[in-house]
Amino acid sequence: MAQKDDVAARLAAVVGTGNLLTGDAIPDDYAHDEALTSPPQKPAYVAKPATAEEVSELLKAATEAGVPVTARGSGSGLSGGARPAEGGLLVSFERMNAVLEIDTGNHVAVVQPGVTLSELDRMTAEHGLTYPVYPGELSASVGGTVGTNAGGMRAIRYGVTRGNVVGLQAVLPTGEILRTGGRTSKISTGYDLTQLITGSEGTLALVTEATLKLHPRLPHGATVLAPFDDFDQVMAAVPRIVASGLEPHILEYIDNLTMAAMVHNDKLELGVPAEIRDRTEAYLAVALENRVADRVGEDVETLGELLLELGATDAYVLEGGAARKLIEAREKAFWNAKAAGADDVIDVVVPRTAMPPFLTRSRELAQAAGGGVIGCGHAGDGNVHLAIFCPDPDTRTALLTDIFGYAMELGGAISGEHGLGRTKTKYHDKLADPAKLALLRRLKDGFDPAGILNPGVLFA
Amino acid sequence: MAQKDDVAARLAAVVGTGNLLTGDAIPDDYAHDEALTSPPQKPAYVAKPATAEEVSELLKAATEAGVPVTARGSGSGLSGGARPAEGGLLVSFERMNAVLEIDTGNHVAVVQPGVTLSELDRMTAEHGLTYPVYPGELSASVGGTVGTNAGGMRAIRYGVTRGNVVGLQAVLPTGEILRTGGRTSKISTGYDLTQLITGSEGTLALVTEATLKLHPRLPHGATVLAPFDDFDQVMAAVPRIVASGLEPHILEYIDNLTMAAMVHNDKLELGVPAEIRDRTEAYLAVALENRVADRVGEDVETLGELLLELGATDAYVLEGGAARKLIEAREKAFWNAKAAGADDVIDVVVPRTAMPPFLTRSRELAQAAGGGVIGCGHAGDGNVHLAIFCPDPDTRTALLTDIFGYAMELGGAISGEHGLGRTKTKYHDKLADPAKLALLRRLKDGFDPAGILNPGVLFA
């Protein structure tokens, strides 16, 4: 253990003794994120750096000692991307949690990776601005959302993390501190390292600062809930709503079972009569927002007519409180699934027109495997969140291989926003084009020749 | 020359004798793009493939023979990225020019790289949709715009090429045909190869198909022209207009000299009285669009009041014809600069709040070098287009090194949308962070181990 003590001493010299944990002093929380199928694993070291320079020194030490390194923000990820490796170093960004600047001239926020989305939301709101990436969990850190390329409900209007990160400071495993991009959304000067690092799940570099695009926070909004008898009508309605130019910022489908669970768990009062609820196969929730209050009312009218024309049984305009509760309940879908005993959650993305065959086949495959799936999702993005009920691990692996394989046949991908992490990597390794996998590995080698960054994540 | 004949025979076997040009049969047009400072160079071979499989075979042959390869769309680039290498193979995509599909369910267009933006615009218009990337030159090919990550005037609302390319088919120099992304704008499954290849100027892979995000084509619009006595007021106005939530899709500044040239060359009738023109230092052109006609009128009113509050001398609402002519004239700014004898054009990007110091210093540096700069630019994006008047090449190189260096000090980059090509690469090599350059080279090696793709472009 002498070598291990040497490493610990060197890491402690970088961050200070009080900011390095080892052995039994490491709380259980650092052993996992929120993934349902990634067994906890305590790291050998937890370091809490305060600066990019400290991160650089930590990485140099880890590279020299051959210690695997995992980055951690809030630990709210759903794919095991923040679960440390055995004997590894967990770099926790909890002390690098400052909003460094809200730049109202360039409409960007410059933040450290440990900042939570809720803190950023509070600070941008003071300036009438918003960072529009709202994954379900607002305790998520910016660093974590950059790592997974988080999406969330507002992506239909504002895009996912990728398009909203315009610059990064990132540290290579060999210690170099790089700056990519800047306070501008337009650069054609060399390869786009900002977008390459975004979504790389801590396997290429550790992000120590992010420059995020801010948007005007539109003050007026409304949410419309439309029940449909027939799921296929919901799916057919989506492109028509997008084409309308109404620019919804939320466009979610919720299947009847998921809605029933939400109504029950969150005591939602949606004003939908029981006889309509009973015949409903799925709901669309559509939120509109505008700079001008009157326009919201007009647009809700237009949307309501369009929904009826597209086969909705009715269209309910939810008042502020009810709308907020519905959206919050939808954001908690993962926790409902977990509470209901789901064995895994997946977030496949397919072309939105392929959602009906994808869902039909997924249900059939799950039934054939003796299990079941229920779900909801970002209908405008083709991003389907399914809770998987299938307790036997081998059966479930076979089922998910089939489901992911079918999604890919349809032109989709394994994950729309959670990332591959540790839990979906084996499927990617098996199903992805080998030539593409080989290329991804060469890119990884270009950043991380010693392979110390998050081994087991993205590549098995 | 036997070896050269062997190569020619192999290439001809791939594309057919009629689609391979060599020696004197190669027209001069293939020797250059529209860059002002890249001397023409005829390639040894011009091949016109019809399929991705043919591109793959061409690249395998080139890799084996060590022949450098350059891709060409319409040849309208401004940085020499489509200028072939001596003894090289030019792959012209003129036969791969089909719009394969306008997918109204998923709101994407699937196109071959040789399709022009004007053809794509015509075909999307039939469906009430638009591909919103409008660089000045609509004869540009989609492949070229993907290569340079083209921007254009509407980026302030719709983003640049990068955010609007959701999938690619691309051929590695070693012949593998890859598919990246898909008909969805949200993927967190491995590194984002789509965005890495976009903007890589033909140095990583050859794009053989692109899937492009389409947006509803908003039917109603108006353009407002606002003269300002003081350039700094123009710059201070920009963030206020962006923050207003009016969502302009065009937000351009035009300095008085450039406007005078546009008025003269394009016979613009803007309705701005002579006494106001004479005192004006710069103009803002702001275009608004909406789904609803009445809202355009209301928004123009709001915008006009805001502009006056921000110091505009007046605000002129241009009628349809006059607005179109102004925008067309602005798009021709490059040709005006060329006709006026400009020695180079640059398209630096800086944080938008840094435009005033950048422009002041650029003018001072140019004057000190015995030259001058005039310009216009995408004010919302901090993307400054300057015509450089400085005939002596060495003096100009020193001047541009200083200008680019200062832009980078301000947090900007050498090119916002034209790319580095052959003409700006030497500045990048000199000014960029060596650690970043080394990383870019490692990524290049991961795609193109033999270094056959567009040598001299992006890296000197």
Side-chain angles (χ1 to χ4, degrees), chain B residues 139-391:
Chain B
S139 70
S141 70
V142 167
T145 58
V146 170
T148 57
N149 183 28
M153 284 195 265
R154 302 191 196 187
I156 181 71
R157 178 161 183 167
Y158 293 104
V160 297
T161 301
R162 183 157 275 137
N164 287 291
V165 179
V166 293
L168 293 173
Q169 184 193 57
V171 186
L172 297 184
T174 35
E176 298 93 331
I177 302 174
L178 298 184
R179 287 208 168 264
T180 74
R183 297 183 185 204
T184 164
S185 23
K186 190 182 208 175
I187 294 186
S188 286
T189 305
Y191 308 139
D192 192 336
L193 298 174
T194 309
Q195 301 308 326
L196 188 58
I197 294 171
T198 301
S200 67
E201 305 192 47
T203 64
L204 298 180
L206 295 201
V207 170
T208 47
E209 189 185 293
T211 304
L212 309 172
K213 189 170 178 175
L214 302 180
H215 301 254
R217 186 178 286 254
L218 302 180
H220 308 287
T223 301
V224 175
L225 183 68
F228 286 78
D229 290 353
D230 177 11
F231 187 81
D232 286 355
Q233 286 180 315
V234 173
M235 293 293 113
V238 168
R240 294 286 302 280
I241 295 168
V242 174
S244 70
L246 287 164
E247 289 191 278
H249 65 283
I250 293 180
L251 182 50
E252 295 286 306
Y253 86 87
I254 304 165
D255 74 15
N256 53 355
L257 289 174
T258 302
M259 182 63 98
M262 283 164 54
V263 166
H264 177 263
N265 293 337
D266 297 281
K267 309 203 175 10
L268 298 184
E269 311 235 350
L270 301 171
V272 184
E275 68 271 20
I276 291 186
R277 286 208 312 238
D278 291 345
R279 55 185 269 202
T280 295
E281 200 165 275
Y283 297 79
L284 261 188
V286 189
L288 302 175
E289 58 182 7
N290 210 291
R291 188 175 59 81
V292 183
D294 287 353
R295 294 182 186 179
V296 174
E298 293 163 22
D299 287 355
V300 162
E301 195 86 3
T302 306
L303 173 64
E305 286 164 17
L306 181 59
L307 285 165
L308 295 179
E309 191 188 309
L310 295 169
T313 324
D314 207 339
Y316 302 88
V317 184
L318 302 184
E319 299 305 319
R324 200 171 52 247
K325 279 192 77 171
L326 172 69
I327 299 304
E328 283 171 7
R330 164 62 191 88
E331 283 173 344
K332 285 193 287 185
F334 164 72
W335 299 103
N336 286 341
K338 189 176 177 182
D343 300 296
D344 206 350
V345 291
I346 65 174
D347 75 310
V348 160
V349 63
V350 292
R352 72 164 91 100
T353 54
M355 280 193 283
F358 173 73
L359 283 160
T360 302
R361 180 77 74 92
S362 296
R363 279 192 210 105
E364 288 167 2
L365 288 167
Q367 274 163 18
V373 298
I374 65 167
C376 52
H378 311 308
D381 304 319
N383 191 193
V384 178
H385 289 257
L386 292 179
I388 308 289
F389 297 86
C390 180

Side-chain angles (χ1 to χ4, degrees), chain A residues 120-191:
Chain A
L120 179 59
D121 194 52
R122 195 184 63 72
M123 292 198 58
T124 53
E126 289 174 12
H127 299 276
L129 297 169
T130 184
Y131 176 63
V133 176
Y134 285 78
E137 191 57 53
L138 290 188
S139 70
S141 70
V142 167
T145 58
V146 170
T148 57
N149 185 28
M153 284 196 266
R154 304 190 193 186
I156 180 72
R157 177 161 183 167
Y158 293 104
V160 296
T161 301
R162 184 156 275 136
N164 287 291
V165 178
V166 293
L168 293 173
Q169 183 193 58
V171 185
L172 296 184
T174 36
E176 298 93 331
I177 302 174
L178 298 185
R179 288 209 167 264
T180 73
R183 299 183 185 202
T184 165
S185 23
K186 190 183 207 175
I187 294 187
S188 286
T189 306
Y191 308 139

Side-chain angles (χ1 to χ4, degrees), chain B residues 116-153:
Chain B
T116 62
L117 292 177
S118 57
E119 170 70 1
L120 179 59
D121 194 53
R122 194 183 64 72
M123 292 198 56
T124 53
E126 288 174 13
H127 299 276
L129 297 170
T130 183
Y131 176 63
V133 177
Y134 285 79
E137 190 58 50
L138 290 188
S139 70
S141 70
V142 167
T145 58
V146 170
T148 57
N149 183 28
M153 284 195 265

Side-chain angles (χ1 to χ4, degrees), chain A residues 1-47:
Chain A
M1 296 303 288
Q3 204 206 339
K4 198 166 167 185
D5 288 347
D6 289 349
V7 172
R10 182 159 173 198
L11 299 175
V14 174
V15 291
T17 315
N19 295 307
L20 186 80
L21 306 175
T22 59
D24 292 343
I26 297 177
D28 288 342
D29 234 23
Y30 291 111
H32 64 88
D33 60 13
E34 296 297 342
L36 294 181
T37 59
S38 179
Q41 168 66 55
K42 277 203 188 182
Y45 322 93
V46 175

